[in-house]
């Protein structure tokens, strides 16, 4: 990973100065005790070009809990392994309900609306675990390889905290299993899912690791993970479903495929140009980083880079 100061660096520095003056930073995710102590005034942002050159500002090299951001990578890995069959088990439509909702599953016979709500992510993790025998390990190995950070790993305390407060996810798993849409034993699936969400990484790590989506499916070593069409599919689902039930507002303000996590991170993709990661633990009522959305809004406004 090469670190340079231009051309994105001045843009990031302007954004950081503006974010420093931002009124109202939201609140950390207090329903996961291990995340509740997050400081809303922490802020980091990184941009990675297609060749892995990365620029950053603030806490851009500080590791944090990635949480639902990892759903993008498990989706990509599962899609790479089994192709279109995956979409028989999970949909591609916005849900319109909170990320941990059970409401739609009964009406739709245990098929989640999309891969980024919790039910959908559990299905994707189940598929990846069936294919690899170690879903969370496959994810960790992938992120280590793509980011170039061999120290990237799980946070056992965060995984334990989520396990202790994971009744809703357990209910989702058992409910989908009753329809035959989950085949991994639910306790094993939950272990894999919570380990997946507990991975610690920095803005620099995630910006670089997401580069395969800007390169239309090509990994950092030049091999192909996804077909061009599959990379388009992942980016499309990120745009329409990646920020919980605020995806429409995010598309309106930012204009990029993105995926947020309740640890305060958001990744975003400018296909053919660069990838971004921003982190700040203060969340809005829909679970997205307040400062993160504001920073990405300013990035696309200043640079003119968006998919529209």
């Amino acid at each position: 990973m090469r670190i340079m100061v231009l051309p994105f660096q001045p843009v990031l520095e302007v954004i950081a100065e503006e974010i420093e003056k931002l009124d109202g930073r939201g609140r950390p995710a207090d329903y996961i005790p291990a995340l509740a102590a997050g400081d809303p005034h922490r802020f980091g942002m990184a941009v990675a070009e297609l060749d892995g050159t990365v620029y950053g500002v603030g806490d851009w090299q500080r590791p944090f809990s990635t949480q639902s951001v990892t759903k993008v990578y498990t989706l990509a890995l599962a899609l790479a392994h089994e192709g279109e069959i995956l979409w028989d088990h999970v949909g591609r439509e916005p849900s319109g309900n909170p990320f941990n909702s059970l409401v739609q599953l009964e009406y739709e016979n245990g098929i989640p609306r999309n891969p980024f709500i919790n039910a959908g992510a559990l299905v994707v993790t189940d598929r990846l675990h069936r294919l690899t025998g170690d879903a969370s390990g496959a994810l960790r190995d992938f992120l280590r390889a793509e980011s170039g950070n061999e120290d990237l790993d799980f946070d056992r305390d965060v995984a334990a905290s989520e396990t202790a407060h994971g009744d809703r996810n357990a209910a989702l798993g058992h409910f989908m299993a009753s329809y035959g849409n989950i085949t991994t034993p639910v306790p094993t699936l939950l272990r894999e899912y919570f380990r997946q969400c507990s991975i610690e990484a920095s803005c620099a790590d995630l910006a670089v690791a997401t580069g395969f989506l800007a390169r239309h499916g090509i990994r950092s070593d030049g091999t192909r993970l996804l077909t061009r069409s599959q990379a388009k599919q992942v980016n499309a689902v990120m745009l329409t479903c990646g920020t919980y039930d605020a995806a429409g507002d995010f598309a309106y303000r930012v204009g990029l495929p993105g995926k947020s996590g309740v640890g305060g991170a958001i990744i975003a993709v400018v296909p053919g140009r660069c990838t971004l990661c921003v982190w700040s633990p203060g969340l809005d009522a829909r679970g997205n980083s307040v400062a993160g959305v504001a920073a990405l809004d300013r990035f696309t406004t200043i640079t003119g880079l968006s998919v529209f």
Side-chain angles (χ1 to χ4, degrees):
M1 182 168 63
R2 295 186 293 124
I3 300 174
M4 300 177 64
V5 294
L6 291 173
F8 283 119
Q9 194 64 37
V11 174
L12 295 182
E13 290 173 1
V14 168
I15 292 171
E17 290 177 5
E18 294 181 2
I19 294 300
E20 185 68 26
K21 303 171 186 176
L22 185 67
D23 291 330
R25 294 291 194 97
R27 299 176 59 185
D30 54 9
Y31 66 92
I32 301 174
L35 302 181
D39 181 357
H41 292 281
R42 289 279 187 186
F43 173 79
M45 187 172 186
V47 180
E49 294 185 318
L50 301 187
D51 64 358
T53 302
V54 61
Y55 314 88
V57 70
D59 295 310
W60 66 294
Q61 293 177 300
R62 179 187 179 94
F64 51 78
S65 185
T66 54
Q67 294 296 311
S68 288
V69 168
T70 59
K71 295 173 182 177
V72 169
Y73 311 108
T74 53
L75 172 61
L77 290 171
L79 191 59
H81 275 88
E82 65 176 357
E84 291 296 307
I85 294 172
L86 176 66
W87 301 119
D88 293 337
H89 300 272
V90 61
R92 301 185 293 270
E93 296 292 336
S95 69
N97 285 306
F99 59 86
N100 59 355
S101 174
L102 290 107
V103 171
Q104 290 168 327
L105 281 176
E106 185 167 12
Y107 293 107
E108 298 177 351
N109 300 315
I111 306 294
R113 277 289 179 96
N114 67 69
F116 296 149
I117 56 175
N118 286 16
L122 286 166
V123 168
V124 174
T125 299
D126 171 62
R127 304 298 297 177
L128 185 60
H129 194 69
R130 290 176 69 253
L131 292 161
T132 66
D134 182 8
S136 59
L139 170 65
R140 179 182 60 184
D141 292 347
F142 175 79
L143 289 175
R144 284 178 172 177
E146 294 306 292
S147 69
N149 179 5
E150 288 298 320
D151 294 327
L152 187 149
D153 211 343
F154 309 111
D155 184 319
R156 293 181 180 180
D157 291 339
V158 171
S161 181
E162 295 198 53
T163 299
H165 297 81
D167 292 338
R168 178 65 66 93
N169 286 310
L172 291 168
H174 284 295
F175 191 84
M176 291 185 293
S178 74
Y179 281 93
N181 201 26
I182 293 289
T183 59
T184 305
V186 173
T188 301
L189 174 62
L190 294 174
R191 181 197 68 209
E192 292 297 301
Y193 179 68
F194 293 139
R195 277 164 58 87
Q196 165 191 322
C197 292
S198 78
I199 284 178
E200 277 202 326
S202 68
C203 291
D205 293 331
L206 294 182
V208 175
T210 310
F212 70 97
L213 289 174
R215 293 188 294 268
H216 308 295
I218 301 295
R219 295 186 60 167
S220 58
D221 64 1
T223 61
R224 180 169 288 281
L225 175 70
L226 301 174
T227 67
R228 192 178 183 97
S229 178
Q230 288 171 332
K232 178 192 71 175
Q233 292 170 5
V234 175
N235 280 326
V237 178
M238 287 173 67
L239 181 67
T240 58
C241 308
T243 46
Y244 308 121
D245 54 340
D249 186 63
F250 185 82
Y252 176 85
R253 291 183 62 185
V254 176
L256 293 174
K259 181 71 193 84
S260 61
V262 296
I266 307 174
I267 57 172
V269 181
V270 185
R273 183 65 177 88
C274 64
T275 45
L276 303 96
C277 180
V278 61
W279 170 71
S280 186
L283 310 180
D284 61 23
R286 292 173 171 176
N288 299 309
S289 171
V290 173
V293 173
L296 291 170
D297 183 355
R298 290 298 294 145
F299 178 85
T300 53
T301 299
I302 293 170
T303 64
L305 293 172
S306 88
V307 297
F308 300 112

